[in-house]
Amino acid sequence: MATLLHLDSAVFPEGSASRDVSAAFVQAWREQHADGQVVYRDLAAAPLPHLDAAAVAAGAEDPLRRELADELTAADAVLIGAPMYNFSIPSTLKAWLDQVIIVGHNAGPDSPVTGTPITVVASRGGSYAAGTPREDAEFVQNYLEKLLTNMFGAEVDFIVPELTLARSQPSMAELIPLADASRAQAFTAAAEKAKALAARLAA
């Protein structure tokens, strides 16, 4: 029985692209792997404390950090909803990363998380893809890929629904067809990746 660790970090519980696409991923995972387990954390509804000196000094002896680290280590796959806020990730997700990364315990060359597949749903209101005017302001995928591969040796993959503000911002109206196509593609990718991953882990 495989375990999926699912993290959401979008501020709004409704109307969030990262939450919607992540939910589609989980649904496909459950359909493919009915006896699998899903461990869920809503980092916006139940935010973690920011890392402080006492928690840093305690490392894995800190009860919360140990709980989060054990949760990550026990997961066969991880799903992270990471919307772009102010060109970066939500502070609640950063707090989870700061708490869960414990060098010498689960981070480093001998990390027990090495090889764990991590899927990130990196939604954004505009487009920061290669060749776009805002390409140099893409700090979500670049940051998370570097962090998760360097600290954990994880297998990181991204699903990127973009232009999510097109239907609510009049200035972006001409981009609605592209936004709708990106959303549809993200839902398809979520279902396909979840099914493939569940089948791979169940084998």
Side-chain angles (χ1 to χ4, degrees):
M1 180 178 71
T3 298
L4 173 69
L5 174 61
H6 175 199
L7 308 172
D8 268 329
S9 61
V11 169
F12 296 106
E14 303 292 337
S16 160
S18 67
R19 286 182 182 272
D20 290 347
V21 174
S22 294
F25 184 105
V26 173
Q27 180 181 347
W29 165 279
R30 291 186 187 279
E31 290 172 355
Q32 182 70 30
H33 192 37
D35 60 345
Q37 180 181 10
V38 178
V39 176
Y40 180 62
R41 280 189 180 270
D42 188 332
L43 300 175
L48 299 168
H50 289 293
L51 194 64
D52 59 19
V56 172
E61 299 305 313
D62 179 89
L64 175 59
R65 300 192 75 194
R66 185 57 179 258
E67 177 186 347
L68 296 172
D70 287 350
E71 212 168 62
L72 177 61
T73 300
D76 297 289
V78 181
L79 172 65
I80 301 175
M84 178 184 280
Y85 291 163
N86 298 319
F87 300 116
S88 187
I89 62 173
S91 62
T92 51
L93 179 54
K94 181 62 164 63
W96 179 81
L97 289 165
D98 288 342
Q99 293 283 7
V100 80
I101 295 171
I102 308 174
V103 177
H105 175 71
N106 66 354
D110 299 318
S111 171
V113 187
T114 297
T116 298
I118 299 180
T119 303
V120 180
V121 180
S123 61
R124 60 277 312 275
S127 179
Y128 300 78
T132 64
R134 289 191 169 187
E135 176 184 1
D136 63 350
E138 204 303 297
F139 302 118
V140 173
Q141 286 178 262
N142 289 336
Y143 168 66
L144 289 176
E145 183 170 22
K146 292 294 184 186
L147 182 74
L148 297 171
T149 56
N150 289 352
M151 288 295 191
F152 294 133
E155 175 190 311
V156 185
D157 195 17
F158 290 91
I159 299 172
V160 186
E162 60 180 13
L163 302 170
T164 61
L165 292 177
R167 288 192 171 274
S168 61
Q169 298 294 325
S171 62
M172 298 177 66
E174 64 181 17
L175 299 174
I176 288 176
L178 291 176
D180 290 347
S182 178
R183 180 178 176 84
Q185 185 177 31
F187 277 104
T188 298
E192 291 177 349
K193 291 177 187 293
K195 291 176 180 177
L197 197 54
R200 167 181 150 191
L201 293 173

